[in-house]
mmCIF file of all heavy atoms in Angstrom:
data_model
loop_
_atom_site.group_PDB
_atom_site.id
_atom_site.type_symbol
_atom_site.label_atom_id
_atom_site.label_comp_id
_atom_site.label_asym_id
_atom_site.label_seq_id
_atom_site.Cartn_x
_atom_site.Cartn_y
_atom_site.Cartn_z
ATOM 1 N N PHE A 639 0.036 17.911 -3.626
ATOM 2 C CA PHE A 639 -0.502 16.889 -4.522
ATOM 3 C C PHE A 639 -0.132 17.199 -5.965
ATOM 4 O O PHE A 639 0.303 16.332 -6.721
ATOM 5 C CB PHE A 639 -2.023 16.808 -4.379
ATOM 6 C CG PHE A 639 -2.666 15.794 -5.286
ATOM 7 C CD1 PHE A 639 -2.886 14.497 -4.869
ATOM 8 C CD2 PHE A 639 -3.057 16.149 -6.576
ATOM 9 C CE1 PHE A 639 -3.470 13.568 -5.704
ATOM 10 C CE2 PHE A 639 -3.640 15.239 -7.422
ATOM 11 C CZ PHE A 639 -3.850 13.933 -6.984
ATOM 12 N N SER A 640 -0.303 18.477 -6.355
ATOM 13 C CA SER A 640 0.011 18.886 -7.727
ATOM 14 C C SER A 640 1.490 18.703 -8.037
ATOM 15 O O SER A 640 1.865 18.215 -9.105
ATOM 16 C CB SER A 640 -0.400 20.347 -7.936
ATOM 17 O OG SER A 640 -0.073 20.788 -9.223
ATOM 18 N N LEU A 641 2.354 19.061 -7.100
ATOM 19 C CA LEU A 641 3.801 18.950 -7.314
ATOM 20 C C LEU A 641 4.242 17.496 -7.436
ATOM 21 O O LEU A 641 5.090 17.157 -8.272
ATOM 22 C CB LEU A 641 4.547 19.625 -6.165
ATOM 23 C CG LEU A 641 4.401 21.146 -6.061
ATOM 24 C CD1 LEU A 641 4.998 21.639 -4.749
ATOM 25 C CD2 LEU A 641 5.080 21.840 -7.241
ATOM 26 N N ILE A 642 3.680 16.623 -6.612
ATOM 27 C CA ILE A 642 4.065 15.205 -6.630
ATOM 28 C C ILE A 642 3.459 14.502 -7.828
ATOM 29 O O ILE A 642 4.138 13.781 -8.565
ATOM 30 C CB ILE A 642 3.626 14.513 -5.325
ATOM 31 C CG1 ILE A 642 4.375 15.109 -4.134
ATOM 32 C CG2 ILE A 642 3.879 13.002 -5.392
ATOM 33 C CD1 ILE A 642 3.823 14.685 -2.785
ATOM 34 N N GLU A 643 2.167 14.726 -8.038
ATOM 35 C CA GLU A 643 1.456 14.044 -9.113
ATOM 36 C C GLU A 643 1.983 14.420 -10.489
ATOM 37 O O GLU A 643 2.017 13.611 -11.407
ATOM 38 C CB GLU A 643 -0.044 14.363 -8.997
ATOM 39 C CG GLU A 643 -0.947 13.668 -9.995
ATOM 40 C CD GLU A 643 -1.076 14.438 -11.285
ATOM 41 O OE1 GLU A 643 -0.777 15.643 -11.293
ATOM 42 O OE2 GLU A 643 -1.469 13.821 -12.280
ATOM 43 N N SER A 644 2.442 15.672 -10.617
ATOM 44 C CA SER A 644 2.966 16.127 -11.910
ATOM 45 C C SER A 644 4.373 15.609 -12.180
ATOM 46 O O SER A 644 4.866 15.708 -13.294
ATOM 47 C CB SER A 644 2.995 17.660 -11.936
ATOM 48 O OG SER A 644 3.960 18.163 -11.032
ATOM 49 N N GLY A 645 5.026 15.057 -11.149
ATOM 50 C CA GLY A 645 6.396 14.606 -11.315
ATOM 51 C C GLY A 645 7.420 15.710 -11.163
ATOM 52 O O GLY A 645 8.616 15.488 -11.335
ATOM 53 N N GLU A 646 6.958 16.907 -10.827
ATOM 54 C CA GLU A 646 7.884 18.041 -10.718
ATOM 55 C C GLU A 646 8.796 17.907 -9.502
ATOM 56 O O GLU A 646 9.944 18.351 -9.537
ATOM 57 C CB GLU A 646 7.096 19.351 -10.651
ATOM 58 C CG GLU A 646 7.983 20.578 -10.639
ATOM 59 C CD GLU A 646 7.205 21.844 -10.916
ATOM 60 O OE1 GLU A 646 6.115 21.759 -11.488
ATOM 61 O OE2 GLU A 646 7.694 22.922 -10.552
ATOM 62 N N MET A 647 8.283 17.297 -8.427
ATOM 63 C CA MET A 647 9.076 17.137 -7.211
ATOM 64 C C MET A 647 8.828 15.767 -6.606
ATOM 65 O O MET A 647 7.760 15.165 -6.810
ATOM 66 C CB MET A 647 8.718 18.210 -6.175
ATOM 67 C CG MET A 647 9.078 19.622 -6.553
ATOM 68 S SD MET A 647 8.718 20.779 -5.183
ATOM 69 C CE MET A 647 9.224 22.316 -5.959
ATOM 70 N N ASN A 648 9.807 15.290 -5.829
ATOM 71 C CA ASN A 648 9.561 14.077 -5.061
ATOM 72 C C ASN A 648 8.855 14.460 -3.760
ATOM 73 O O ASN A 648 8.599 15.643 -3.490
ATOM 74 C CB ASN A 648 10.861 13.312 -4.805
ATOM 75 C CG ASN A 648 11.878 14.110 -3.994
ATOM 76 O OD1 ASN A 648 11.513 14.878 -3.105
ATOM 77 N ND2 ASN A 648 13.153 13.937 -4.282
ATOM 78 N N VAL A 649 8.545 13.467 -2.932
ATOM 79 C CA VAL A 649 7.746 13.718 -1.734
ATOM 80 C C VAL A 649 8.435 14.682 -0.776
ATOM 81 O O VAL A 649 7.825 15.632 -0.266
ATOM 82 C CB VAL A 649 7.427 12.388 -1.012
ATOM 83 C CG1 VAL A 649 6.750 12.647 0.329
ATOM 84 C CG2 VAL A 649 6.535 11.512 -1.884
ATOM 85 N N THR A 650 9.724 14.470 -0.534
ATOM 86 C CA THR A 650 10.446 15.331 0.407
ATOM 87 C C THR A 650 10.506 16.767 -0.098
ATOM 88 O O THR A 650 10.261 17.719 0.668
ATOM 89 C CB THR A 650 11.870 14.799 0.627
ATOM 90 O OG1 THR A 650 11.797 13.472 1.172
ATOM 91 C CG2 THR A 650 12.640 15.690 1.592
ATOM 92 N N GLU A 651 10.813 16.938 -1.390
ATOM 93 C CA GLU A 651 10.890 18.290 -1.962
ATOM 94 C C GLU A 651 9.545 18.993 -1.872
ATOM 95 O O GLU A 651 9.474 20.176 -1.518
ATOM 96 C CB GLU A 651 11.353 18.195 -3.413
ATOM 97 C CG GLU A 651 12.794 17.762 -3.590
ATOM 98 C CD GLU A 651 13.142 17.464 -5.035
ATOM 99 O OE1 GLU A 651 12.203 17.140 -5.813
ATOM 100 O OE2 GLU A 651 14.330 17.530 -5.380
ATOM 101 N N ALA A 652 8.474 18.269 -2.202
ATOM 102 C CA ALA A 652 7.143 18.879 -2.164
ATOM 103 C C ALA A 652 6.752 19.261 -0.741
ATOM 104 O O ALA A 652 6.199 20.342 -0.501
ATOM 105 C CB ALA A 652 6.111 17.920 -2.759
ATOM 106 N N ALA A 653 7.047 18.374 0.212
ATOM 107 C CA ALA A 653 6.704 18.655 1.604
ATOM 108 C C ALA A 653 7.408 19.918 2.099
ATOM 109 O O ALA A 653 6.792 20.776 2.744
ATOM 110 C CB ALA A 653 7.073 17.459 2.484
ATOM 111 N N ILE A 654 8.686 20.042 1.801
ATOM 112 C CA ILE A 654 9.460 21.215 2.230
ATOM 113 C C ILE A 654 8.958 22.474 1.530
ATOM 114 O O ILE A 654 8.829 23.536 2.153
ATOM 115 C CB ILE A 654 10.960 20.993 1.957
ATOM 116 C CG1 ILE A 654 11.495 19.874 2.860
ATOM 117 C CG2 ILE A 654 11.747 22.282 2.192
ATOM 118 C CD1 ILE A 654 12.913 19.455 2.550
ATOM 119 N N THR A 655 8.642 22.360 0.246
ATOM 120 C CA THR A 655 8.175 23.512 -0.532
ATOM 121 C C THR A 655 6.894 24.101 0.047
ATOM 122 O O THR A 655 6.722 25.327 0.070
ATOM 123 C CB THR A 655 7.944 23.115 -1.998
ATOM 124 O OG1 THR A 655 9.189 22.715 -2.578
ATOM 125 C CG2 THR A 655 7.364 24.270 -2.807
ATOM 126 N N VAL A 656 5.991 23.240 0.508
ATOM 127 C CA VAL A 656 4.721 23.742 1.039
ATOM 128 C C VAL A 656 4.766 23.997 2.543
ATOM 129 O O VAL A 656 3.756 24.335 3.157
ATOM 130 C CB VAL A 656 3.555 22.788 0.708
ATOM 131 C CG1 VAL A 656 3.413 22.617 -0.791
ATOM 132 C CG2 VAL A 656 3.704 21.435 1.403
ATOM 133 N N GLY A 657 5.949 23.824 3.150
ATOM 134 C CA GLY A 657 6.112 24.253 4.534
ATOM 135 C C GLY A 657 6.115 23.176 5.593
ATOM 136 O O GLY A 657 6.062 23.486 6.783
ATOM 137 N N TYR A 658 6.202 21.894 5.194
ATOM 138 C CA TYR A 658 6.279 20.815 6.185
ATOM 139 C C TYR A 658 7.748 20.487 6.450
ATOM 140 O O TYR A 658 8.481 20.134 5.541
ATOM 141 C CB TYR A 658 5.580 19.558 5.666
ATOM 142 C CG TYR A 658 4.079 19.542 5.874
ATOM 143 C CD1 TYR A 658 3.233 20.088 4.923
ATOM 144 C CD2 TYR A 658 3.509 18.983 7.011
ATOM 145 C CE1 TYR A 658 1.846 20.072 5.092
ATOM 146 C CE2 TYR A 658 2.133 18.958 7.193
ATOM 147 C CZ TYR A 658 1.313 19.505 6.229
ATOM 148 O OH TYR A 658 -0.051 19.486 6.397
ATOM 149 N N SER A 659 8.178 20.566 7.702
ATOM 150 C CA SER A 659 9.542 20.168 8.056
ATOM 151 C C SER A 659 9.589 18.720 8.513
ATOM 152 O O SER A 659 10.636 18.079 8.456
ATOM 153 C CB SER A 659 10.082 21.078 9.169
ATOM 154 O OG SER A 659 9.234 21.040 10.307
ATOM 155 N N ASN A 660 8.444 18.189 8.940
ATOM 156 C CA ASN A 660 8.342 16.810 9.389
ATOM 157 C C ASN A 660 7.686 15.981 8.284
ATOM 158 O O ASN A 660 6.480 16.094 8.044
ATOM 159 C CB ASN A 660 7.523 16.736 10.680
ATOM 160 C CG ASN A 660 7.516 15.337 11.288
ATOM 161 O OD1 ASN A 660 7.345 14.344 10.595
ATOM 162 N ND2 ASN A 660 7.687 15.277 12.601
ATOM 163 N N ILE A 661 8.464 15.157 7.600
ATOM 164 C CA ILE A 661 7.951 14.400 6.459
ATOM 165 C C ILE A 661 6.912 13.373 6.906
ATOM 166 O O ILE A 661 5.940 13.101 6.197
ATOM 167 C CB ILE A 661 9.104 13.689 5.710
ATOM 168 C CG1 ILE A 661 10.187 14.712 5.334
ATOM 169 C CG2 ILE A 661 8.586 13.002 4.454
ATOM 170 C CD1 ILE A 661 9.688 15.859 4.488
ATOM 171 N N SER A 662 7.101 12.814 8.098
ATOM 172 C CA SER A 662 6.144 11.845 8.605
ATOM 173 C C SER A 662 4.779 12.499 8.839
ATOM 174 O O SER A 662 3.732 11.928 8.490
ATOM 175 C CB SER A 662 6.654 11.229 9.916
ATOM 176 O OG SER A 662 5.701 10.335 10.465
ATOM 177 N N ALA A 663 4.784 13.694 9.414
ATOM 178 C CA ALA A 663 3.527 14.414 9.636
ATOM 179 C C ALA A 663 2.873 14.777 8.308
ATOM 180 O O ALA A 663 1.638 14.713 8.169
ATOM 181 C CB ALA A 663 3.788 15.674 10.456
ATOM 182 N N PHE A 664 3.702 15.146 7.333
ATOM 183 C CA PHE A 664 3.175 15.454 6.000
ATOM 184 C C PHE A 664 2.509 14.229 5.385
ATOM 185 O O PHE A 664 1.399 14.308 4.852
ATOM 186 C CB PHE A 664 4.300 15.952 5.097
ATOM 187 C CG PHE A 664 3.923 16.000 3.641
ATOM 188 C CD1 PHE A 664 3.069 16.987 3.163
ATOM 189 C CD2 PHE A 664 4.411 15.054 2.746
ATOM 190 C CE1 PHE A 664 2.709 17.025 1.819
ATOM 191 C CE2 PHE A 664 4.063 15.085 1.412
ATOM 192 C CZ PHE A 664 3.211 16.074 0.952
ATOM 193 N N SER A 665 3.176 13.084 5.455
ATOM 194 C CA SER A 665 2.634 11.855 4.872
ATOM 195 C C SER A 665 1.314 11.464 5.527
ATOM 196 O O SER A 665 0.375 11.023 4.856
ATOM 197 C CB SER A 665 3.645 10.715 5.007
ATOM 198 O OG SER A 665 4.824 10.988 4.282
ATOM 199 N N THR A 666 1.229 11.642 6.834
ATOM 200 C CA THR A 666 -0.003 11.323 7.553
ATOM 201 C C THR A 666 -1.145 12.220 7.103
ATOM 202 O O THR A 666 -2.262 11.747 6.842
ATOM 203 C CB THR A 666 0.208 11.470 9.071
ATOM 204 O OG1 THR A 666 1.225 10.553 9.499
ATOM 205 C CG2 THR A 666 -1.074 11.182 9.827
ATOM 206 N N ALA A 667 -0.886 13.525 6.994
ATOM 207 C CA ALA A 667 -1.917 14.473 6.560
ATOM 208 C C ALA A 667 -2.328 14.201 5.118
ATOM 209 O O ALA A 667 -3.516 14.257 4.772
ATOM 210 C CB ALA A 667 -1.403 15.905 6.714
ATOM 211 N N PHE A 668 -1.347 13.895 4.266
ATOM 212 C CA PHE A 668 -1.604 13.619 2.856
ATOM 213 C C PHE A 668 -2.474 12.367 2.715
ATOM 214 O O PHE A 668 -3.461 12.346 1.964
ATOM 215 C CB PHE A 668 -0.278 13.429 2.120
ATOM 216 C CG PHE A 668 -0.391 13.406 0.626
ATOM 217 C CD1 PHE A 668 -0.107 14.542 -0.121
ATOM 218 C CD2 PHE A 668 -0.759 12.249 -0.050
ATOM 219 C CE1 PHE A 668 -0.198 14.523 -1.500
ATOM 220 C CE2 PHE A 668 -0.851 12.219 -1.434
ATOM 221 C CZ PHE A 668 -0.579 13.369 -2.153
ATOM 222 N N ARG A 669 -2.104 11.316 3.451
ATOM 223 C CA ARG A 669 -2.833 10.053 3.376
ATOM 224 C C ARG A 669 -4.256 10.209 3.908
ATOM 225 O O ARG A 669 -5.206 9.625 3.375
ATOM 226 C CB ARG A 669 -2.085 8.982 4.168
ATOM 227 C CG ARG A 669 -2.677 7.574 4.047
ATOM 228 C CD ARG A 669 -1.728 6.522 4.587
ATOM 229 N NE ARG A 669 -1.336 6.789 5.962
ATOM 230 C CZ ARG A 669 -0.113 7.181 6.338
ATOM 231 N NH1 ARG A 669 0.839 7.345 5.432
ATOM 232 N NH2 ARG A 669 0.152 7.400 7.610
ATOM 233 N N LYS A 670 -4.426 11.020 4.946
ATOM 234 C CA LYS A 670 -5.752 11.248 5.513
ATOM 235 C C LYS A 670 -6.660 11.956 4.522
ATOM 236 O O LYS A 670 -7.865 11.659 4.420
ATOM 237 C CB LYS A 670 -5.632 12.069 6.799
ATOM 238 C CG LYS A 670 -6.962 12.289 7.511
ATOM 239 C CD LYS A 670 -6.768 13.047 8.815
ATOM 240 C CE LYS A 670 -8.099 13.269 9.523
ATOM 241 N NZ LYS A 670 -7.935 14.003 10.801
ATOM 242 N N LYS A 671 -6.094 12.886 3.751
ATOM 243 C CA LYS A 671 -6.899 13.648 2.792
ATOM 244 C C LYS A 671 -7.178 12.867 1.517
ATOM 245 O O LYS A 671 -8.297 12.870 1.002
ATOM 246 C CB LYS A 671 -6.201 14.966 2.450
ATOM 247 C CG LYS A 671 -6.973 15.818 1.444
ATOM 248 C CD LYS A 671 -6.340 17.169 1.253
ATOM 249 C CE LYS A 671 -7.074 17.983 0.192
ATOM 250 N NZ LYS A 671 -8.487 18.241 0.570
ATOM 251 N N TYR A 672 -6.152 12.196 0.986
ATOM 252 C CA TYR A 672 -6.291 11.573 -0.331
ATOM 253 C C TYR A 672 -6.444 10.056 -0.288
ATOM 254 O O TYR A 672 -6.705 9.425 -1.314
ATOM 255 C CB TYR A 672 -5.092 11.938 -1.223
ATOM 256 C CG TYR A 672 -5.030 13.407 -1.544
ATOM 257 C CD1 TYR A 672 -4.055 14.224 -0.969
ATOM 258 C CD2 TYR A 672 -5.944 13.990 -2.408
ATOM 259 C CE1 TYR A 672 -3.994 15.579 -1.248
ATOM 260 C CE2 TYR A 672 -5.899 15.340 -2.701
ATOM 261 C CZ TYR A 672 -4.922 16.127 -2.123
ATOM 262 O OH TYR A 672 -4.877 17.461 -2.405
ATOM 263 N N GLY A 673 -6.260 9.448 0.885
ATOM 264 C CA GLY A 673 -6.421 8.011 0.984
ATOM 265 C C GLY A 673 -5.299 7.217 0.371
ATOM 266 O O GLY A 673 -5.450 6.014 0.123
ATOM 267 N N VAL A 674 -4.166 7.849 0.125
ATOM 268 C CA VAL A 674 -3.024 7.165 -0.474
ATOM 269 C C VAL A 674 -1.745 7.785 0.067
ATOM 270 O O VAL A 674 -1.695 8.988 0.350
ATOM 271 C CB VAL A 674 -3.067 7.272 -2.019
ATOM 272 C CG1 VAL A 674 -2.960 8.711 -2.474
ATOM 273 C CG2 VAL A 674 -1.981 6.420 -2.649
ATOM 274 N N ASN A 675 -0.714 6.968 0.240
ATOM 275 C CA ASN A 675 0.580 7.498 0.679
ATOM 276 C C ASN A 675 1.179 8.342 -0.439
ATOM 277 O O ASN A 675 1.091 7.977 -1.609
ATOM 278 C CB ASN A 675 1.509 6.327 1.006
ATOM 279 C CG ASN A 675 2.731 6.783 1.777
ATOM 280 O OD1 ASN A 675 3.574 7.481 1.233
ATOM 281 N ND2 ASN A 675 2.816 6.391 3.032
ATOM 282 N N PRO A 676 1.788 9.483 -0.129
ATOM 283 C CA PRO A 676 2.318 10.352 -1.190
ATOM 284 C C PRO A 676 3.351 9.680 -2.091
ATOM 285 O O PRO A 676 3.463 10.040 -3.259
ATOM 286 C CB PRO A 676 2.921 11.535 -0.420
ATOM 287 C CG PRO A 676 3.069 11.067 0.981
ATOM 288 C CD PRO A 676 1.979 10.086 1.206
ATOM 289 N N VAL A 677 4.089 8.687 -1.589
ATOM 290 C CA VAL A 677 5.083 8.028 -2.445
ATOM 291 C C VAL A 677 4.400 7.206 -3.532
ATOM 292 O O VAL A 677 5.024 6.861 -4.540
ATOM 293 C CB VAL A 677 6.032 7.125 -1.622
ATOM 294 C CG1 VAL A 677 6.823 7.933 -0.629
ATOM 295 C CG2 VAL A 677 5.253 6.014 -0.919
ATOM 296 N N LYS A 678 3.132 6.877 -3.328
ATOM 297 C CA LYS A 678 2.399 6.109 -4.341
ATOM 298 C C LYS A 678 1.555 7.002 -5.245
ATOM 299 O O LYS A 678 0.838 6.513 -6.112
ATOM 300 C CB LYS A 678 1.503 5.070 -3.664
ATOM 301 C CG LYS A 678 2.270 4.001 -2.906
ATOM 302 C CD LYS A 678 1.323 2.982 -2.293
ATOM 303 C CE LYS A 678 2.109 1.909 -1.552
ATOM 304 N NZ LYS A 678 1.206 0.895 -0.921
ATOM 305 N N CYS A 679 1.626 8.310 -4.981
ATOM 306 C CA CYS A 679 0.861 9.263 -5.779
ATOM 307 C C CYS A 679 1.642 9.575 -7.056
ATOM 308 O O CYS A 679 2.625 10.299 -7.026
ATOM 309 C CB CYS A 679 0.607 10.535 -4.976
ATOM 310 S SG CYS A 679 -0.255 11.812 -5.891
ATOM 311 N N ARG A 680 1.249 9.042 -8.135
ATOM 312 C CA ARG A 680 1.915 9.299 -9.414
ATOM 313 C C ARG A 680 0.868 9.444 -10.495
ATOM 314 O O ARG A 680 -0.265 8.985 -10.367
ATOM 315 C CB ARG A 680 2.899 8.182 -9.758
ATOM 316 C CG ARG A 680 2.241 6.809 -9.877
ATOM 317 C CD ARG A 680 3.238 5.776 -10.370
ATOM 318 N NE ARG A 680 4.316 5.597 -9.423
ATOM 319 C CZ ARG A 680 4.303 4.676 -8.462
ATOM 320 N NH1 ARG A 680 3.255 3.873 -8.328
ATOM 321 N NH2 ARG A 680 5.308 4.546 -7.638
ATOM 322 N N LYS A 681 1.254 10.083 -11.548
ATOM 323 C CA LYS A 681 0.305 10.296 -12.624
ATOM 324 C C LYS A 681 -0.053 8.975 -13.282
ATOM 325 O O LYS A 681 0.814 8.215 -13.675
ATOM 326 C CB LYS A 681 0.879 11.256 -13.663
ATOM 327 C CG LYS A 681 0.997 12.680 -13.168
ATOM 328 C CD LYS A 681 1.427 13.627 -14.242
ATOM 329 C CE LYS A 681 2.885 13.407 -14.616
ATOM 330 N NZ LYS A 681 3.349 14.381 -15.595
ATOM 331 N N LYS A 682 -1.355 8.723 -13.423
ATOM 332 C CA LYS A 682 -1.815 7.493 -14.059
ATOM 333 C C LYS A 682 -2.353 7.747 -15.469
ATOM 334 O O LYS A 682 -2.331 6.873 -16.310
ATOM 335 C CB LYS A 682 -2.920 6.846 -13.212
ATOM 336 C CG LYS A 682 -2.442 6.406 -11.838
ATOM 337 C CD LYS A 682 -3.583 5.791 -11.047
ATOM 338 C CE LYS A 682 -3.105 5.329 -9.666
ATOM 339 N NZ LYS A 682 -4.205 4.757 -8.859
ATOM 340 N N TYR A 683 -2.873 8.936 -15.660
ATOM 341 C CA TYR A 683 -3.528 9.193 -16.931
ATOM 342 C C TYR A 683 -2.942 10.388 -17.686
ATOM 343 O O TYR A 683 -3.299 10.612 -18.826
ATOM 344 C CB TYR A 683 -5.024 9.460 -16.715
ATOM 345 C CG TYR A 683 -5.699 8.412 -15.883
ATOM 346 C CD1 TYR A 683 -6.103 8.675 -14.583
ATOM 347 C CD2 TYR A 683 -5.934 7.155 -16.405
ATOM 348 C CE1 TYR A 683 -6.715 7.712 -13.815
ATOM 349 C CE2 TYR A 683 -6.555 6.175 -15.644
ATOM 350 C CZ TYR A 683 -6.944 6.453 -14.353
ATOM 351 O OH TYR A 683 -7.569 5.507 -13.596
#
C-alpha cells in the first residue's frame, strides 16, 4: 500500500517487491483489505 500510494512503484512492481508472484492473487488480497483495487490506489491528499 505504501509503495503504490506513494507513487514509488506501480502495482506489478509493488506486488513483486513484497513477494507476490501472482498479480491477480495480490489484487484480490489488496482489495479485500482496503476495499479498493490497487490500480485505483493513488495519493489523494
Side-chain angles (χ1 to χ4, degrees):
F639 179 92
S640 178
L641 293 170
I642 295 169
E643 183 273 341
S644 68
E646 184 166 339
M647 294 184 181
N648 61 35
V649 173
T650 300
E651 291 171 336
I654 293 173
T655 297
V656 301
Y658 277 88
S659 57
N660 187 316
I661 306 303
S662 177
F664 167 74
S665 297
T666 299
F668 191 99
R669 186 167 56 251
K670 183 177 180 180
K671 180 173 177 61
Y672 295 108
V674 63
N675 194 292
V677 298
K678 295 182 179 179
C679 177
R680 60 174 64 92
K681 290 186 289 184
K682 296 179 179 179
Y683 309 108

